[in-house]
Amino acid sequence: MSDMKPESARITASQAMIKVLEEWGVEHVFGLPGGSFDSTMDALHVRSDTMKYIQVRHEEAGALAAAGEAKFTGRIGVCFGSAGPGAVHLLNGLYDAKHDHVPVLALVAQVPTSAMNTDYFQELPEEPIFADVACFNRTVMTAEQLPAVVDQAIRQAYEHSGVAVVIIPKDLGWQQIDDTFHATAHDYASTNEYPAPDMGLVRRATEMLTNAKRPLIYFGMGARGAGKEIKELSDKLQIPIMSTALVKGVLADSDPAYMLSAGRVASKPGVDAARTADVVLFIGANMPFLPFFVGPETTVIQVNTKATDMGKRHRVDLGIVADAKATLQAMVQIARPVESRTYYDAMVADKKNWNQWLAARAEVDKTPLDVDAVFTQINRIAKSDAVFSVDVGNVTIDAVRLLDMVPTQKFATSAWYATMGNAVPAAIGAQESYPDRQVFSISGDGGFAMNMQDILTQVKYREPIINVVLTNEALGFIEAEQDDNHQAHSGVDLIDADYGTAAAGLGAKGYEVHTLAELRQAFEEAAQYTEQRRGPVVIDVKIANDRPLPVEQLALEPDARFSQEYVDQFKATYHTEGLTPVSELLNRFGA
């Protein structure tokens, strides 16, 4: 018998890289080809049976799609760009992923090794470009390294919930290497188990909440898997609940105890609860605007897995470095039931009053339409597992307030980075991840125009996405800031365009909507069209350029801040008749 070992198969380094992605469970990648990326495009062609390539029309859209996929699924999103301009175009979407702490892998082409450092065509020093955005940033030095570096990059992206960048010189991907590398995906151990809470501290926290006059539960992304426990603690101790905007949908919006969020992207009951609470359980959250709504003398109990986040946003009276879900479970077990609490009753009444005020605006038939009517139609046709990709601007405020979500649905936006133009690409990422679910993108006309070219991507892959455009001919969010600064409007006006008509020219089903009757018909037909999986729909709704009610500046009664004249002007501007001041509710319930 011969002692010689059989010769291993040979494949290109780029094919070996794609196999690594497959072993990590990646099913598709987003990108736009360039000559410097030819080897990877060839590898995607060779492995097209096991890896789907999705051609976007702008690298930014590919990166935003990958970031959106990661937000909706928790799994790594993958995008790529060619050397030079393709690489730079990725940055905006990668920063979105970085700021919202989701895992994304960016494969970035570089000129051939023989041309590097010679001021070659499209050559850039790419590592420094990605140094700030990336938690892992490496240039591959040999063909044999390529699959191993990509494997390590994915581990780092998951470990740090961030962006990993692998820079690939053009010639290395073409080189033949032994087909012997196996990814470490099956060896990678991740966990959602964080430190167990100190039971002594849990008892103190539970007693503080029980004995408080006006306690509040305020939760964030770190507690998004603990909706059941949050509700149980609220019911047991009769405590109202609020959250950061990002975790909308963890609790049903219809829950009477759920006040939504505080801030500008907020509801009236959320702001009221934050400003009137005397003890706040701030759990799994890192909201930067907390000090603007929770007073400096308010007692704060903070639960967070990161000691470095303790006290970052507000002075903390009791800190527990522990897992949110485990802490809540322990609290529920320890807590003695509270039969009633007047503050809870007052906040429930506040929420009911708010919902009644919103409902009165939902069916107003006027031209241009109120935005409330649009969300009434979205809620009407949305399925119980619908996915909502929401852009940045007034549309974020409107979506947080007016989408009527349940825990089986999903919601995402560009939160901390807050880049306009994210909704359409992120919806592509969502639809590719959840091909059997209903997906919406909801944008203002400013954000939609930034990436509307990728309606072509939706058309090409027959993605049945319902894209809603709220056209008010203004950058309304910035316009409001200019108003608050008492300055003239500058650069915030937008010319009108028929985005539904334009989308039809791109191959989508398009609608231009001006009246309530047209609105109802468009949404009815859109639901049927996408249900038949015939492709995307764009519904361009012409809405009034009315500022969403600034609940963070609410003036419903004269006090130390507002004169009667100012209150009267505020009511006339925002039609707040029917909204009850929180002071009146607290007095009515003796809270």
Side-chain angles (χ1 to χ4, degrees), residues 272-579:
D272 288 345
R275 285 182 169 159
T276 58
D278 60 3
V279 177
V280 175
L281 173 61
F282 189 54
I283 184 163
N286 191 24
M287 183 207 184
F289 307 116
L290 190 72
F292 295 99
F293 297 94
V294 173
E297 302 306 317
T298 304
T299 298
V300 172
I301 304 161
Q302 186 171 2
V303 180
N304 203 296
T305 57
K306 295 181 179 179
T308 52
D309 284 344
M310 202 64 66
K312 189 175 183 179
R313 305 303 183 186
H314 193 285
R315 175 188 52 79
V316 171
D317 297 273
L318 178 62
I320 304 175
V321 179
D323 177 73
K325 188 180 183 78
T327 303
L328 288 162
Q329 289 172 335
M331 286 182 167
V332 171
Q333 290 298 317
I334 292 169
R336 303 182 308 277
V338 172
E339 290 188 6
S340 65
R341 193 187 298 270
T342 55
Y343 180 62
Y344 177 88
D345 296 337
M347 289 298 98
V348 168
D350 197 4
K351 171 79 176 291
K352 182 178 180 180
N353 174 246
W354 169 251
N355 284 341
Q356 289 171 338
W357 183 78
L358 291 177
R361 301 163 57 86
E363 292 295 331
V364 175
D365 192 359
K366 56 178 255 190
T367 303
L369 287 162
D370 279 337
V371 71
D372 309 67
V374 184
F375 281 89
T376 296
Q377 295 306 310
I378 294 173
N379 291 329
R380 181 177 67 82
I381 71 167
K383 296 184 177 180
S384 61
D385 64 349
V387 180
F388 301 101
S389 175
V390 177
D391 219 295
V392 167
N394 280 350
V395 63
T396 324
I397 302 175
D398 295 325
V400 168
R401 291 180 185 175
L402 301 173
L403 280 178
D404 187 12
M405 290 185 62
V406 295
T408 50
Q409 295 172 330
K410 290 180 177 289
F411 171 95
T413 186
S414 178
W416 281 56
Y417 189 52
T419 181
M420 292 171 62
N422 75 94
V424 167
I428 293 170
Q431 192 72 80
E432 290 297 329
S433 300
Y434 301 113
D436 297 324
R437 294 176 71 162
Q438 184 188 49
V439 175
F440 291 84
S441 85
I442 310 174
S443 311
D445 47 342
F448 183 76
M450 288 186 173
N451 272 313
M452 64 178 289
Q453 78 284 332
D454 271 273
I455 293 297
L456 288 165
T457 302
Q458 298 181 11
V459 170
K460 180 169 184 173
Y461 299 103
R462 297 180 64 88
E463 295 173 336
I465 298 170
I466 300 174
N467 302 275
V468 181
V469 187
L470 307 173
T471 297
N472 64 342
E473 300 180 37
L475 298 174
F477 199 89
I478 307 306
E479 185 177 87
E481 290 180 346
Q482 293 183 356
D483 287 338
D484 291 343
N485 288 333
H486 306 291
Q487 67 184 81
H489 290 170
S490 177
V492 294
D493 59 309
L494 303 175
I495 64 169
D496 189 21
D498 289 345
Y499 292 107
T501 303
L506 299 178
K509 182 74 171 177
Y511 293 90
E512 296 297 332
V513 171
H514 299 83
T515 68
L516 192 60
E518 291 174 353
L519 183 72
R520 291 169 177 157
Q521 180 179 353
F523 273 88
E524 189 66 35
E525 292 181 9
Q528 296 174 5
Y529 187 84
T530 54
E531 180 70 22
Q532 297 165 0
R533 309 194 65 79
R534 297 169 63 186
V537 173
V538 175
I539 305 175
D540 178 20
V541 188
K542 309 304 182 182
I543 64 168
N545 185 28
D546 294 333
R547 180 178 181 175
L549 177 67
V551 294
E552 75 283 7
Q553 304 173 30
L554 206 58
L556 297 181
E557 59 182 349
D559 56 23
R561 298 172 299 162
F562 307 120
S563 67
Q564 183 65 59
E565 181 182 4
Y566 184 88
V567 170
D568 291 342
Q569 182 182 9
F570 188 92
K571 287 185 176 181
T573 301
Y574 296 107
H575 309 290
T576 56
E577 299 83 2
L579 281 178

Side-chain angles (χ1 to χ4, degrees), residues 63 79 90-99 104 106 130 133 163 165:
C79 58
L90 292 171
L91 277 171
N92 199 52
L94 298 184
Y95 269 106
D96 178 52
K98 174 186 177 176
H99 281 261
V104 166
F130 294 99
V133 76
V163 174
V165 174

